[in-house]
């Protein structure tokens, strides 16, 4: 039961921050990009990680011209997510390459929850995606698989569980405007701690407005699951999520 807002993972957020290079500028050997954001609710695969409250987020990515990259991304979370921890830190390493209009991206993501008091909460999740560009629009298919571990157990760590997440994303920019639109559909296969017992589907639609290095976003997020936090809030219920992201 962990992770991000508008259907975006840490990798996707990092990708949003990549600045466009002028056509006459050579590609540098190393590119460093980053982002910082305030979101009204941190949703991971449709489920709130902040009890439907605000979160602070940020990340930085270093990309080599060969396509290899390393990245780190963090967010504030509520303490029900990972045994009392109030923050999530994602450590990422991957490789991305473009073939014509298609971009293939593979890598591994390590979820680290500092301050969890020695509880078994951290886990690894390899991922892969393929993205196609069609004029101003892009379509992406992705999959992430977390191998069996006690951190994903639904019985307090007595057994090991794994988890598979598959998703499809559509995004498009409105020509000659700073506007963008997106749609997301994903399915989590369980049982594991990431699904809290039963598999479920999440979806979202969103829009963005970009001004200079700032992106303002709004998204409608929902699932077919019913899941309550210790405070009594239904953290899987439909909601509108707003965000302000600064890229550099």
């Amino acid at each position: 039961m962990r992770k991000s807002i508008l259907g975006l993972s840490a990798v996707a957020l990092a990708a949003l921050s990549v600045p466009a290079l002028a056509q006459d500028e050579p590609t540098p050997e190393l590119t460093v990009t980053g982002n910082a954001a305030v979101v009204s609710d941190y949703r991971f695969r449709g489920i709130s990680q902040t009890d439907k409250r605000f979160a602070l987020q940020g990340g930085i990515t270093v990309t080599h011209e060969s396509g290899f990259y390393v990245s780190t991304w963090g967010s504030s979370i509520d303490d029900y997510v990972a045994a009392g921890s109030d923050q999530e830190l994602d450590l990422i390493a991957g490789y991305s390459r473009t073939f014509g209009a298609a971009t293939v991206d593979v890598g591994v993501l390590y979820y680290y929850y500092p301050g969890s008091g020695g509880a078994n909460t951290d886990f690894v999740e390899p991922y892969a995606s393929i993205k196609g560009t069609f004029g101003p629009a892009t379509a992406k298919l992705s999959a992430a698989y977390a191998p069996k571990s006690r951190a994903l157990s639904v019985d307090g760590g007595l057994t090991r569980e794994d988890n598979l997440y598959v998703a499809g994303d559509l995004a498009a920019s409105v020509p000659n405007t700073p506007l963008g639109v997106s749609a997301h559909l994903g399915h989590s296969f369980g049982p594991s701690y990431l699904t809290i017992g039963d598999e479920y589907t999440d979806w979202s639609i969103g829009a963005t407005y970009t001004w200079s290095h700032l992106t303002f976003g709004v998204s409608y997020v929902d699932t077919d699951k019913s899941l309550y936090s210790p405070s009594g809030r239904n953290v899987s219920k439909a909601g509108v999520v707003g965000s302000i992201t600064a890229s550099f």
Side-chain angles (χ1 to χ4, degrees):
M1 190 175 132
R2 304 142 189 188
K3 225 149 124 123
S4 181
I5 142 187
L6 317 166
L8 296 176
S9 69
V11 176
L13 285 170
L16 285 176
S17 69
V18 178
L21 295 175
Q23 291 184 353
D24 57 350
E25 292 182 3
T27 301
E29 183 177 357
L30 289 177
T31 302
V32 180
T33 58
N35 59 75
V38 178
V39 298
S40 63
D41 186 8
Y42 170 25
R43 295 276 184 134
F44 174 54
R45 299 171 184 171
I47 297 177
S48 176
Q49 307 295 281
T50 51
D51 210 19
K52 294 194 168 183
R53 295 187 176 94
F54 280 85
L56 299 177
Q57 303 176 336
I60 189 168
T61 300
V62 179
T63 304
H64 189 263
E65 61 182 353
S66 64
F68 288 99
Y69 61 87
V70 292
S71 181
T72 183
W73 181 88
S75 177
S76 56
I77 59 174
D78 200 275
D79 58 10
Y80 62 80
V81 175
S85 175
D86 60 3
Q87 56 188 310
E88 172 190 331
L89 182 62
D90 299 347
L91 306 175
I92 307 152
Y95 176 77
S96 179
R97 184 170 181 179
T98 299
F99 304 87
T103 300
V104 176
D105 188 5
V106 295
V108 62
L109 192 156
Y110 181 76
Y111 295 86
Y112 172 54
Y113 297 91
S116 59
N120 194 344
T121 58
D122 307 341
F123 66 99
V124 172
E125 188 177 66
Y127 60 85
S129 70
I130 182 168
K131 178 175 69 176
T133 302
F134 312 92
T138 61
K140 184 174 75 169
L141 295 175
S142 59
Y145 175 71
K148 286 188 176 183
S149 71
R150 298 191 187 279
L152 300 180
S153 170
V154 293
D155 59 12
L158 297 178
T159 60
R160 297 175 182 269
E161 302 290 351
D162 59 357
N163 191 84
L164 173 65
Y165 183 73
V166 295
D169 292 89
L170 295 173
S173 58
V174 180
N176 304 314
T177 76
L179 299 175
V181 293
S182 62
H184 167 84
L185 178 65
H187 189 81
S188 297
F189 295 88
S192 76
Y193 190 73
L194 290 178
T195 61
I196 312 298
D198 300 320
E199 63 183 66
Y200 71 97
T201 300
D202 71 279
W203 58 90
S204 67
I205 55 173
T208 58
Y209 176 88
T210 300
W211 176 71
S212 184
H213 293 283
L214 294 178
T215 299
F216 302 87
V218 63
S219 181
Y220 175 82
V221 185
D222 198 6
T223 76
D224 63 355
K225 193 176 186 63
S226 185
L227 180 65
Y228 291 85
S229 71
S231 71
R233 288 187 173 92
N234 186 343
V235 292
S236 58
K237 186 179 179 180
V240 175
V241 177
S243 66
I244 302 175
T245 303
S247 301
F248 54 88

